[in-house]
């Protein structure tokens, strides 16, 4: 303490606070308070590292999930101007067309509901889908995969686009055959 006080030229109380603060910073950087600093990143620790912050990203660590909200605390809305799903082919193996049986499936009708829980939850009417009404490959513990649901909806839209194009072709052939414009009928 005397050495620190002499080196900095500060009163004893200030030297004690500086030492106390530097010890606390050492605990934070070392992971003692749920934060660990590495070379160019910071990790959040809950029993083990769960997320890594870099200057350009927030990355969930193993088991590759970062949960915001849960059935008991589901009002944790995520508000963002954009969500990006890292989905480039260079990060994947065995890429091939999906079996249509995975996406050409009936989906449940949307429901309106209020959630059970606290007073704030009971006032909020929501429109959504019930996870237990979805096919098993869409379900996740406590919910469903928005990424998989999006892929299924893209498959359904692509199928409808193909059917519309086929109907347009049939209509054009009928118009030529009968010499009339049926498109306005």
């Amino acid at each position: 303490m005397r050495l620190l006080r002499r080196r900095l030229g500060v009163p004893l109380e200030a030297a004690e606070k500086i030492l106390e603060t530097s010890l606390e910073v050492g605990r934070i950087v070392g992971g003692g308070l749920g934060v660990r600093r590495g070379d160019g990143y910071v990790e959040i620790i809950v029993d083990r590292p769960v997320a890594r912050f870099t200057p350009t990203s927030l990355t969930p660590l193993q088991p590759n999930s970062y949960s915001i909200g849960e059935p008991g605390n589901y009002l944790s809305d995520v508000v963002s101007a954009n969500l990006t799903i890292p989905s480039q082919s260079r990060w994947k193996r065995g890429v091939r067309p999906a079996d249509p049986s995975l996406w050409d499936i009936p989906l449940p009708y949307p429901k309106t509901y209020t959630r059970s829980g606290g007073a704030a939850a009971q006032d909020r009417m929501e429109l959504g889908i019930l996870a237990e009404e979805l096919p098993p490959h869409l379900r996740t513990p406590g919910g469903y995969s928005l990424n998989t649901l999006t892929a299924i909806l893209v498959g359904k839209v692509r199928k409808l686009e193909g059917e519309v194009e086929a109907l347009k072709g049939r209509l054009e052939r009928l118009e030529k055959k009968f010499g009339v414009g049926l498109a306005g009928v």
Side-chain angles (χ1 to χ4, degrees), residues 87-180:
S87 190
Q88 294 181 345
S89 61
R90 65 183 169 147
W91 297 325
K92 300 175 180 175
R93 294 186 326 237
V95 176
R96 61 193 177 283
D99 179 351
S101 69
L102 293 173
W103 55 265
D104 196 10
I105 55 174
L107 293 175
Y109 286 100
K111 307 283 190 288
T112 58
Y113 49 82
T114 54
R115 293 184 188 256
S116 53
Q122 294 175 356
D123 294 339
R124 184 173 167 183
M125 194 280 293
E126 296 182 35
L127 173 67
I129 298 171
L130 302 178
E132 58 270 23
E133 292 182 356
L134 291 167
H137 66 283
L138 265 162
R139 296 184 205 162
T140 61
Y144 58 90
S145 167
L146 195 53
N147 192 39
T148 305
L149 180 59
T150 301
I152 287 171
L153 294 174
V154 166
K156 289 180 168 296
V157 168
R158 293 294 307 262
K159 180 181 176 186
L160 290 172
E161 288 174 338
E163 290 174 1
V164 167
E165 288 303 313
L167 289 172
K168 281 182 181 178
R170 288 178 62 193
L171 182 61
E172 287 175 10
R173 287 190 299 278
L174 287 171
E175 286 176 340
K176 284 181 183 176
K177 181 177 181 180
F178 294 107
V180 293

Side-chain angles (χ1 to χ4, degrees), residues 28-32 34-38 41-45 48-49 52:
I28 291 170
V29 171
V35 179
R36 178 171 57 206
R37 181 176 173 204
Y41 65 87
V42 174
E43 289 180 338
I44 304 299
I45 301 166
R48 60 185 165 69
R52 178 174 289 163

Side-chain angles (χ1 to χ4, degrees), residues 29-95:
V29 171
L33 292 177
V35 179
R36 178 171 57 206
R37 181 176 173 204
D39 188 25
Y41 65 87
V42 174
E43 289 180 338
I44 304 299
I45 301 166
V46 180
D47 295 327
R48 60 185 165 69
V50 294
R52 178 174 289 163
F53 291 92
T54 68
T56 59
S57 69
L58 164 63
T59 307
L61 301 176
Q62 292 300 327
N64 201 23
S65 67
Y66 185 73
S67 178
I68 300 174
E70 55 191 37
N73 180 23
Y74 54 84
L75 291 176
S76 301
D77 288 346
V78 176
V79 179
S80 174
N82 187 34
L83 294 175
T84 300
I85 307 292
S87 190
Q88 294 181 345
S89 61
R90 65 183 169 147
W91 297 325
K92 300 175 180 175
R93 294 186 326 237
V95 176

